[in-house]
C-alpha cells in the first residue's frame, strides 16, 4: 500500500480515460444516457452516483484505510445518515464535549425520533461501560474534542464496543486522516466534516463516512441515495484538489500550533492552554499513542477567566479572523460559548469546561512569527 502523500494525490483519481486529463473532470451532469433500459456505464443518476464524487469517495476510503467512503453535503448530513441506521428506542453514548451542532442534531432532532443519547466524560473507560445497557447500539466520540481538546482513547472505546457487540464511531474532523486513522485502531465508523482540514481552503461544506463493514455500508448507500444529501461535482472537485496537499498543510498546521501553544502557555496573561501536543496536557500520552502529530486546534483561557477579556482578544487580532469553522489555510479565532457551541445550554457546556471566557484558535499555515506577534499584541490589549 502506498504511503499517505502518494495516496492523497493519486488514490481514486485515475487520469480521465476519454481525454487523458490528469485532473478528475467536474462531471456537471444530473443524468447519463442509457443504450437500453438498465444498459449504462455504471452511472444512472447523480444523486445515486456521479464520477467526480465517486473519485473523491474512493480517495477518502483510501486515506482512512477503509473499504467504503461516502460523501455527504455536510458533516452533519453524514452524521444524520449514520443516525438513520438506528431505530426508536436505541441508545447512543456520546462524549460530553463535542461540536455544538452535533449535540443539537442528537438532542433536538433524533431525540424526538426516539433515539436516546447519554453524554459522558470519557477520561476513564469505566464511565462509558457503566452506561451500556441492552438498548445501547453505538459509542460516538470526537477526539480531539471540540473545543476542549480532550483526547479519548480510541482503542479502549473500540475494544469496549467489540466486547458489548455495539458500534464505535469516531468524528475524526480535528485530526484529519493524516494524523489519526480510527479504523486501524478498531473503530467501526469514521465521520468527517470535510469542510475543515480535508478540504482545507474554507470554500466548501461537505461531510463523509468511511467504514469497512459491508452490511452497514450497504445501509448507508441506501440512505445516501434515498435521502439525497449528496455533494455536487464542483465541490467534490475542490475537495479532491484540496486533498492533494493535505499532508503538506497538516505538517505546517502542527508545526505552527505547537509553537503558538508554547507561546500561550508561557504568557503571563494566559491561565490555561488546551493542546494535546503539550506534555502538560492530561491526555498527552494517549495522544502520542494514537496520533501522528497533534493538529492545528488550540483552546485557551486568559488570566482571570473574564468573558470581556476573551472578547477583547478575539476582536483585536489582525491575522486571526473571528469566524466559525476551522481547518483552512488561514488562521481563525472563535468564541465557542456564543458561536460554535451556543446550541448547548450554558449549564451543560460548562460541565465540560466550555466557559464563557474560552477562546478557540484554528492555527493556519501562515508564518508562525506573524501569528505569535498577532496574539501578542491582542493579549496586550487586556
Ligand atoms: O459544518 P459541517 O460540515 O456540517 O460539520 C459539522 C461538524 C462535525 N464535527 C465536528 C467535530 C465539527 O467541528 C463540525 C463543524 N464545526 C464547526 C463549524 C466549528 O466551527 O466547530
Amino acid at each position: 500500500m502506498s504511503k499517505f502523500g502518494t495516496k492523497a494525490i493519486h488514490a481514486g483519481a485515475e487520469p480521465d480515460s476519454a481525454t487523458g486529463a490528469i485532473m478528475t473532470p467536474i462531471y456537471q451532469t444530473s443524468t447519463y444516457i442509457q443504450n437500453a433500459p438498465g444498459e449504462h456505464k455504471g452511472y444512472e443518476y447523480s444523486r445515486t452516483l456521479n464520477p467526480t464524487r465517486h473519485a473523491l469517495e474512493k480517495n477518502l476510503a483510501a486515506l482512512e484505510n477503509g473499504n467504503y467512503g461516502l460523501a455527504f453535503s455536510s458533516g452533519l448530513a453524514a452524521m444524520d445518515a449514520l443516525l438513520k441506521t438506528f431505530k426508536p428506542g436505541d441508545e447512543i453514548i456520546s462524549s460530553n464535549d463535542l461540536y455544538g451542532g452535533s449535540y443539537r442534531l442528537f438532542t433536538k432532532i433524533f431525540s424526538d425520533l426516539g433515539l436516546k443519547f447519554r453524554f459522558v466524560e470519557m477520561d476513564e473507560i469505566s464511565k462509558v461501560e457503566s452506561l451500556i445497557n441492552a438498548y445501547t447500539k453505538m459509542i460516538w466520540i470526537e477526539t480531539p474534542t471540540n473545543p476542549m481538546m480532550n483526547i479519548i482513547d480510541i482503542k479502549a472505546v473500540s475494544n469496549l464496543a467489540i466486547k458489548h457487540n455495539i458500534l464505535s464511531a469516531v468524528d475524526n474532523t480535528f485530526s484529519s486522516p493524516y494524523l489519526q486513522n480510527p479504523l486501524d485502531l478498531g473503530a467501526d465508523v469514521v465521520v468527517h466534516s470535510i469542510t475543515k482540514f480535508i478540504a482545507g481552503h474554507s470554500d466548501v461544506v461537505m461531510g463523509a463516512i468511511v467504514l469497512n463493514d459491508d452490511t452497514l455500508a450497504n445501509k448507508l448507500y441506501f440512505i445516501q441515495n434515498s435521502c439525497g444529501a449528496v455533494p455536487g461535482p464542483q465541490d467534490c472537485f475542490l475537495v479532491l484538489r484540496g486533498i492533494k496537499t493535505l499532508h503538506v498543510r497538516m505538517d505546517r498546521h502542527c508545526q505552527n500550533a505547537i509553537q503558538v501553544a508554547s507561546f500561550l502557555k508561557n504568557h503571563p496573561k494566559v491561565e490555561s492552554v488546551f493542546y494535546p501536543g503539550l506534555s502538560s496536557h492530561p491526555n498527552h500520552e494517549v495522544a502520542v499513542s494514537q496520533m501522528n502529530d497533534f493538529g492545528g486546534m488550540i483552546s485557551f483561557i486568559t488570566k482571570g477567566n473574564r468573558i470581556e477579556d476573551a472578547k477583547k482578544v478575539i476582536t483585536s487580532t489582525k491575522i486571526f479572523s473571528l469566524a466559525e469553522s476551522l481547518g483552512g489555510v488561514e488562521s481563525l479565532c472563535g468564541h465557542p460559548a456564543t458561536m460554535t457551541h451556543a446550541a448547548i445550554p450554558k449549564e451543560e457546556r460548562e460541565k465540560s469546561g466550555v466557559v464563557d471566557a474560552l477562546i478557540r484558535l484554528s492555527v493556519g499555515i501562515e508564518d508562525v512569527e506573524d501569528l505569535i506577534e498577532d496574539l501578542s499584541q491582542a493579549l496586550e490589549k487586556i
Side-chain angles (χ1 to χ4, degrees):
M1 188 190 292
S2 305
K3 295 178 80 172
F4 192 92
T6 312
K7 285 195 290 188
I9 292 166
H10 295 289
E14 303 298 327
D16 181 47
S17 55
T19 62
I22 194 158
M23 287 300 130
T24 307
I26 303 167
Y27 285 94
Q28 195 72 47
T29 185
S30 59
T31 194
Y32 308 82
I33 290 168
Q34 308 195 5
N35 293 334
E39 204 183 296
H40 52 75
K41 297 186 166 74
Y43 299 96
E44 295 162 85
Y45 185 61
S46 281
R47 171 165 30 74
T48 317
L49 199 56
N50 169 283
T52 318
R53 191 177 99 216
H54 198 191
L56 173 62
E57 290 180 330
K58 286 188 275 187
N59 184 280
L60 292 168
L63 296 187
E64 281 290 11
N65 301 326
N67 292 336
Y68 303 100
L70 296 90
F72 292 88
S73 52
S74 71
L76 288 179
M79 291 175 65
D80 174 79
L82 179 62
L83 292 168
K84 282 175 178 152
T85 64
F86 298 107
K87 300 227 156 34
D90 288 349
E91 294 193 11
I92 291 160
I93 301 173
S94 166
S95 44
N96 65 338
D97 178 28
L98 77 169
Y99 170 53
S102 307
Y103 179 89
R104 184 178 53 204
L105 181 65
F106 290 170
T107 57
K108 297 280 192 249
I109 305 289
F110 279 92
S111 287
D112 283 354
L113 298 175
L115 299 191
K116 186 163 182 181
F117 296 88
R118 293 168 178 270
F119 298 94
V120 66
E121 190 181 358
M122 295 200 179
D123 54 337
E124 287 167 32
I125 200 70
S126 57
K127 292 187 188 169
V128 186
E129 186 157 31
S130 70
L131 294 180
I132 295 179
N133 62 37
Y135 303 102
T136 311
K137 291 287 154 45
M138 181 169 80
I139 307 172
W140 170 267
I141 64 170
E142 268 178 27
T143 181
T145 58
N146 180 1
M148 293 312 297
M149 304 304 296
N150 290 313
I151 301 295
I152 298 170
D153 187 333
I154 299 175
K155 250 189 201 157
V157 168
S158 307
N159 287 339
L160 183 67
I162 290 165
K163 180 173 153 195
H164 291 273
N165 200 21
I166 57 177
L167 290 177
S168 54
V170 180
D171 183 333
N172 204 24
T173 299
F174 268 33
S175 297
S176 89
Y178 181 60
L179 300 184
Q180 177 171 279
N181 296 118
L183 300 182
D184 293 351
L185 299 167
D188 297 300
V189 180
V190 180
V191 175
H192 278 285
S193 170
I194 299 279
T195 316
K196 311 295 165 8
F197 290 102
I198 293 181
H201 296 75
S202 307
D203 51 9
V204 169
V205 172
M206 198 186 292
I209 301 179
V210 181
L211 74 166
N212 284 319
D213 183 73
D214 301 349
T215 308
L216 184 56
N218 282 334
K219 266 193 198 175
L220 288 165
Y221 281 121
F222 184 79
I223 291 168
Q224 186 192 38
N225 186 40
S226 302
C227 299
V230 291
Q234 175 95 30
D235 282 358
C236 292
F237 172 85
L238 285 171
V239 173
L240 276 167
R241 181 162 80 162
I243 286 175
K244 289 180 197 295
T245 56
L246 177 60
H247 49 305
V248 183
R249 288 185 283 108
M250 289 313 295
D251 278 341
R252 184 67 170 260
H253 282 293
C254 295
Q255 283 163 22
N256 283 358
I258 186 71
Q259 292 189 62
V260 170
S262 306
F263 160 77
L264 290 171
K265 191 164 168 28
N266 293 320
H267 198 285
K269 291 189 176 171
V270 173
E271 178 116 18
S272 7
V273 182
F274 307 94
Y275 183 66
L278 294 173
S279 56
S280 55
H281 187 285
N283 316 123
H284 178 66
E285 293 310 320
V286 183
V288 169
S289 73
Q290 67 188 20
M291 301 177 77
N292 300 321
D293 206 333
F294 307 104
M297 298 301 296
I298 301 172
S299 292
F300 72 101
I301 301 172
T302 53
K303 277 246 157 70
N305 202 357
R306 281 186 290 268
I307 185 171
E308 304 74 36
D309 289 344
K311 287 189 173 167
K312 187 88 205 159
V313 171
I314 57 182
T315 51
S316 300
T317 51
K318 297 184 168 74
I319 300 176
F320 282 86
S321 303
L322 179 59
E324 302 217 8
S325 204
L326 56 115
V329 291
E330 64 288 308
S331 292
L332 300 181
C333 58
H335 184 236
T338 54
M339 297 167 71
T340 50
H341 293 71
I344 306 178
K346 186 176 164 78
E347 198 185 295
E348 283 306 308
R349 237 196 305 116
E350 294 197 335
K351 271 192 217 158
S352 49
V354 188
V355 293
D356 286 349
L358 189 78
I359 296 171
R360 192 188 74 179
L361 302 179
S362 174
V363 179
I365 65 170
E366 300 95 336
D367 291 293
V368 71
E369 297 80 5
D370 292 332
L371 297 181
I372 288 174
E373 172 54 33
D374 191 30
L375 291 170
S376 179
Q377 65 82 24
L379 283 163
E380 285 318 309
K381 302 270 163 51
I382 59 173

